[in-house]
Amino acid sequence: YEYPISPFDIEDSFICEGSTFNPQVFDEHASDYLWSNGNKSPVGMFSQPGTYWVKAFNSCFAIVDTFSVEAVKPLQVNLGGDSTFCGEVNIQLVATNEGNNSYSWSNGERTSVINVTENGLYSVEVSNNCELVVDTVIFSTYKQEDIFIPNVITPNGDSYNDRFVVPSNILPASLQVFN
C-alpha cells in the first residue's frame, strides 16, 4: 500500500545576482522527485529567473507545484556632484530604484525623493534583500560678499584686474560685455 504524498507549496521567490534559490520538498512517502530543470533530488537549485515546477511522486500518488523565481535588479544611486549655489538651495534629490527597496536619508526621511532647502551634507542608504548602496552630496551657498567679479578690466600688467575670471563653481552664469 502506498501512502498519499502531503501537499506542499513552494512560495514564489527572488534571487540576488550571483546567488541561487534552493527549495526543498522532502516527503517521507515520495519515492521520486522531478524538477522542471531535470533535477531528481528533493532539493532544487535555480540561479536564473523563470517559472518552474516540481513533482513528488510514488507508484500511486503525485503532487506538482509551480513557482516563480524573480531576479532582483542591482541598486544604483547617483545624487550628482557637490554644488555651490548663489542664493537659496532648492533642489530635489532622487534615489528611486525599481523593486521593494528601503531608503534612509541623513535627515531622517524614509522616502525615495527628498526636497533640499538648506546647505549641508546629504546622504542616502538604499537597500533591498540583496545589497546596500550609499551616496553622498554636499550643498553650499555663496554669500554675496564671497564673490568678487570686477566690473572693470585693465590688462596692463600691474596685477590689478588684469584678468576677468568667473569662478567655475558658480556656473552656470550669464555674462554680457559692452564696449
Side-chain angles (χ1 to χ4, degrees):
Y1 176 78
E2 291 281 353
Y3 290 96
I5 298 170
S6 300
F8 54 86
D9 181 27
I10 298 174
E11 290 189 25
D12 293 346
S13 189
F14 65 89
I15 53 172
C16 303
E17 190 173 299
S19 68
T20 60
F21 174 56
N22 302 315
Q24 298 181 19
V25 293
F26 179 77
D27 184 281
E28 65 180 317
H29 302 297
S31 57
D32 294 297
Y33 301 90
L34 180 62
W35 298 84
S36 53
N37 63 0
N39 182 6
K40 294 182 179 183
S41 83
V43 179
M45 188 153 123
F46 302 92
S47 60
Q48 297 295 318
T51 300
Y52 301 99
W53 55 262
V54 60
K55 178 180 178 181
F57 56 99
N58 59 31
S59 61
C60 295
F61 300 97
I63 298 286
V64 177
D65 186 33
T66 302
F67 58 95
S68 294
V69 177
E70 293 184 35
V72 175
K73 294 184 180 185
L75 296 173
Q76 296 180 352
V77 177
N78 183 354
L79 299 178
D82 297 347
S83 297
T84 303
F85 296 91
C86 292
E88 295 180 10
V89 174
N90 189 1
I91 194 163
Q92 189 176 63
L93 295 178
V94 179
T96 303
N97 276 263
E98 281 186 44
N100 186 17
N101 306 308
S102 297
Y103 300 89
S104 179
W105 293 88
S106 54
N107 66 354
E109 293 287 329
R110 300 272 182 221
T111 60
S112 62
V113 178
I114 64 168
N115 291 312
V116 173
T117 58
E118 296 181 13
N119 291 336
L121 180 141
Y122 294 85
S123 64
V124 63
E125 292 182 353
V126 182
S127 61
N128 59 25
N129 291 327
C130 295
E131 64 181 321
L132 168 82
V133 294
V134 178
D135 197 16
T136 302
V137 65
I138 299 172
F139 295 114
S140 56
T141 304
Y142 275 113
K143 297 178 184 145
Q144 183 95 21
E145 58 269 18
D146 292 340
I147 303 172
F148 173 74
I149 300 175
N151 62 358
V152 175
I153 303 170
T154 58
N156 60 7
D158 67 357
S159 299
Y160 296 105
N161 296 335
D162 285 337
R163 295 178 13 177
F164 180 81
V165 177
V166 176
S168 64
N169 53 1
I170 66 166
L171 296 177
S174 175
L175 174 66
Q176 293 180 344
V177 178
F178 299 96
N179 186 2

